[in-house]
Amino acid sequence: MEASAIPALKPTGWVSLLSILVMLPVIGRADSGQIAQPWRAEAVVEGRDEAYDKERFLNELTFRHSQPLPTAVGNGIRGTGGSVSSRRLYYDFRFRQDFGFRNDRNGFLLDIQRSEDLDGAYQRQLVGFRQAVTDATELWLQGDVYSDKSVSDVYFSARHRLADNHWIHTSWILPDAYFNSKTDSPDEFETFPHSWFLQWHRGGGEPGLGTTASMTLTPDSSFISRQESLQVDSESVRAAFRHRQQVADWQISLELDGERTRRDYRLFAEGEGQTTGFDRNHFQVLASSTWTVHRLKPGFGLAYRVLEEQGFFGRALNDEGRIRRRESTVFGEFSLPLTPGVSLRPAVYLGHANIRQTFEEETDKDFDGFIGKLALPFVMVLSRQDGAALTLNPTFYLHKSQFGGGNLQLHWPL
């Protein structure tokens, strides 16, 4: 998934696997854990509106971001979208730009996000400013602003630079900050939510290399939705780690991502009157490496995911269920230059999925067996100077004779 004129592929993986996975392609994904993920009303009230099929996470893996730049902490356009079922489109897009002025002591911040997590799709339009208070420290004020003032989020942040391309960043986020005083709905907060975001980043000298560690912590809050006839108390923590470096002739990348979510629901619609909980534990690791000096730039990788969910899945599904997934995938790829500006990077994914999925209102959907995919991404260079690329990626299932969905990506560092 790379052309010779653009940077090497994006890092992912798990640092504790470095010693055994040093020969393992450089892969990328949404990096949502490296971006602040504050409390969302639609997440805790509605939840996601689908029960994932067995190929869902395999599809996301094959549609991952194929370029290393822009990174989750860099400026630029970063988008990928693809069909994950006959009715569903997976879509992850971000446009981030820091417009510095006054010798970069001030900046106008724009951050547009559209993506999804395990609670469903979301979108944000963050606008704000930053102000340097010392040569090494900045204060940021941002808002996710809507015409309905009750659902606007406020971000108070500080960033301290330890060296060039090396910082600590912290944010205090007030989701729906003015909800109780501004809403025209009957809903209200009993305990207002807030989220803390902490990030440490250290660049590796070359663009795309380095280490980033992030965490979003949302302490307990309580929200009453009279429109949906429920009250929900919730808390969560999400953390992510990414490391990428060049070791001799190999480019190695490691990523770890995890989530722990707890919710308690009180349902008071007619005929319900019950208390039920929801627990989620999610963990995934990806590791990869690419032989960068070889003409074909061959790569190999490993992905592993654990997802456990149990309880009430929100009003969107309006059902009690239990999900237990264990998925492991190995994959390999190489690059075939076709023209000076176009390359083909075939990739094969071979995996095993163990899925135990039970809902009260649906037939059990268990699966234990092989799943696989063939991807044929064509990477087209849009700007050699900027490292911009457009990727068209048709895929095909290996465990059944069926088209596996098309994927379109755009990466343009700014």
Side-chain angles (χ1 to χ4, degrees), residues 13 31 66 143 176 190 194 210 213 259 261 294 313 338 348 360 384:
D31 273 348
S66 62
D176 298 357
E190 187 173 82
H194 64 275
E259 175 186 349
T261 294
H294 193 278
F313 277 72
L338 302 179
V348 175
E360 290 184 353
R384 295 181 183 278

Side-chain angles (χ1 to χ4, degrees), residues 10 55 65 118 150 153 159 193 201 206 217 231 250 257 266 277 281 303 307 310 317 319 323 335 341 366 372 405:
K10 182 176 176 168
E55 292 99 0
H65 291 284
L118 293 171
S150 68
D153 298 352
R159 175 172 292 191
H201 171 78
E206 297 181 19
L217 172 65
Q231 179 173 349
W250 292 87
D257 200 340
R266 288 175 287 284
N281 295 299
L307 174 63
Q310 178 176 305
L317 286 178
D319 202 355
I323 294 174
S335 185
D366 294 348

Side-chain angles (χ1 to χ4, degrees), residues 271-306:
E272 290 181 329
Q274 60 177 308
T275 299
T276 183
F278 176 80
D279 296 343
R280 174 188 293 140
N281 295 299
H282 176 239
F283 169 81
Q284 63 178 355
V285 56
L286 300 101
S288 66
S289 74
T290 298
W291 191 9
T292 56
V293 298
H294 193 278
R295 181 178 60 88
L296 298 180
K297 292 183 172 57
F300 307 90
L302 169 67
Y304 181 70
R305 182 189 298 265
V306 176

